Amino acid sequence: MTPPHTTAEAHLRRMADVLEEARQDLASGGVPPTCLLPALMRLIPCDAASFSELDISTRRQLNAQEIGDEDADLDMDAYWRWRHQHTQCTRVSRPHDTPETTQMADFRSVRELRRLPIYTEFLAPHPTIACVALPTAPNRTRVFQLFREDGKAFTDHEMTTLRMLAPHLYELYKDAARRRREPVRLTHRELDVLRCVALGMGTAQIAAQLVVSPSTVRKHLENAFGRLGVSSRTAAVARVFPEPEAL
């Protein structure tokens, strides 16, 4: 007689079901698959969930999905004004090569947070936030977030669940992005120059590396910017090499 599943086994099966549902949803075109947020809310009880990608240098929201707070009118001006108080957010915006899982309680107590403008003008009524921050280009953030209104911290079990899911969420994001990404048509030399830029080289270093003149490097960059529809080196690298491992 087969023994009944333990609670842990049942939970692992639910986690696997969330991932399998998302893999089946890749063809829908959402980046990440749109079924992920409601599935995560079923797995880890919360009042709202979101996925967002921000470009910090230009203060633009590049991508967003929300569930639970669809009617909320977020004041992004307030976010940018008080972002320095959002310790969790500033932490995950630092470069990282693997997903990072945190919750607001790691940085500020609920009592302390509720006294700050970042809460009263932007985060309210959600003092409790768990997030999975995925790797992305410099000066960008790419984050799944789960929100609670009651101030109750996410348990160790719930945070462990997110940590276990994190690498799979990253793979799902990359799979969905690859399916939707428009091909970028650059010359081999333009790609060589952008690879050097992505490695942190300046114009003189690139010229020495590729054995060309600095003016030739600048011309290749100008042509690449035009093809990509961008106006900066950071934006070009983010467009051509959106994932760190692509380098």
Side-chain angles (χ1 to χ4, degrees), residues 101 163 195:
T101 305
R163 280 191 286 272
R195 287 191 184 98

Side-chain angles (χ1 to χ4, degrees), residues 22-37 51 53 63-65 144 169 171-181:
R23 294 186 186 102
Q24 296 298 323
D25 194 39
L26 282 171
S28 68
V31 181
T34 53
C35 71
L36 264 178
L37 292 183
F51 176 83
E53 295 186 79
N63 183 13
Q65 296 179 21
F144 288 92
L169 297 178
E171 290 302 318
L172 285 165
Y173 174 91
K174 290 188 290 185
D175 288 344
R178 277 192 290 265
R179 284 173 174 257
R180 200 170 75 172
R181 188 179 304 135

Side-chain angles (χ1 to χ4, degrees), residues 138 191-202 206 221 233-234 236-238 240-244 246-247:
L191 281 170
D192 288 340
V193 169
L194 286 179
R195 287 191 184 98
C196 291
V197 171
L199 293 171
M201 296 184 186
I206 298 172
L221 286 172
R233 298 184 181 205
T234 298
V237 169
V240 179
F241 307 116
E243 308 300 337
L247 302 180

Side-chain angles (χ1 to χ4, degrees), residues 17-60:
D17 289 344
V18 165
L19 298 174
E20 182 58 29
E21 181 183 357
R23 294 186 186 102
Q24 296 298 323
D25 194 39
L26 282 171
S28 68
V31 181
T34 53
C35 71
L36 264 178
L37 292 183
L40 288 173
M41 289 183 71
R42 292 194 301 271
L43 190 64
I44 300 177
C46 57
D47 300 300
S50 72
F51 176 83
S52 67
E53 295 186 79
L54 301 178
D55 185 275
I56 298 167
S57 58
T58 61
R59 296 191 171 189
R60 289 185 301 139

Side-chain angles (χ1 to χ4, degrees), residues 85 104 108-121 123-128 148-152:
Q85 295 181 344
M104 183 64 78
R108 294 190 187 276
S109 68
V110 170
R111 177 178 296 180
E112 181 183 10
L113 179 64
R114 281 177 168 154
R115 292 198 299 260
L116 298 176
I118 186 63
Y119 178 78
T120 57
E121 297 187 25
L123 293 175
H126 302 119
T128 306
R148 282 179 177 163
E149 297 181 13
D150 60 9
K152 180 181 177 182

Side-chain angles (χ1 to χ4, degrees), residues 1-176:
M1 185 174 179
T2 304
H5 290 302
T6 65
T7 301
E9 289 172 335
H11 187 67
L12 288 172
R13 184 175 295 277
R14 291 174 63 202
M15 292 169 60
D17 289 344
V18 165
L19 298 174
E20 182 58 29
E21 181 183 357
R23 294 186 186 102
Q24 296 298 323
D25 194 39
L26 282 171
S28 68
V31 181
T34 53
C35 71
L36 264 178
L37 292 183
L40 288 173
M41 289 183 71
R42 292 194 301 271
L43 190 64
I44 300 177
C46 57
D47 300 300
S50 72
F51 176 83
S52 67
E53 295 186 79
L54 301 178
D55 185 275
I56 298 167
S57 58
T58 61
R59 296 191 171 189
R60 289 185 301 139
Q61 188 171 58
L62 306 174
N63 183 13
Q65 296 179 21
E66 297 176 2
I67 184 170
D69 266 353
E70 295 88 343
D71 297 330
D73 185 17
L74 294 179
D75 184 355
M76 292 305 294
D77 288 338
Y79 170 79
W80 292 113
R81 184 163 58 251
W82 301 110
R83 182 177 179 273
H84 62 281
Q85 295 181 344
H86 196 330
T87 318
Q88 184 183 28
C89 190
T90 56
R91 161 67 184 269
V92 302
S93 65
R94 296 185 300 182
H96 50 101
D97 296 330
T98 57
E100 291 190 356
T101 305
T102 62
Q103 66 169 316
M104 183 64 78
D106 298 334
F107 307 98
R108 294 190 187 276
S109 68
V110 170
R111 177 178 296 180
E112 181 183 10
L113 179 64
R114 281 177 168 154
R115 292 198 299 260
L116 298 176
I118 186 63
Y119 178 78
T120 57
E121 297 187 25
F122 184 74
L123 293 175
H126 302 119
T128 306
I129 308 169
C131 83
V132 178
L134 306 183
T136 185
N139 292 316
R140 291 192 176 185
T141 59
R142 177 182 289 162
V143 184
F144 288 92
Q145 296 183 94
L146 304 179
F147 303 91
R148 282 179 177 163
E149 297 181 13
D150 60 9
K152 180 181 177 182
F154 290 86
T155 66
D156 289 343
H157 176 68
E158 290 167 335
M159 296 305 296
T160 297
T161 296
L162 288 178
R163 280 191 286 272
M164 293 175 66
L165 287 174
H168 303 286
L169 297 178
Y170 187 29
E171 290 302 318
L172 285 165
Y173 174 91
K174 290 188 290 185
D175 288 344

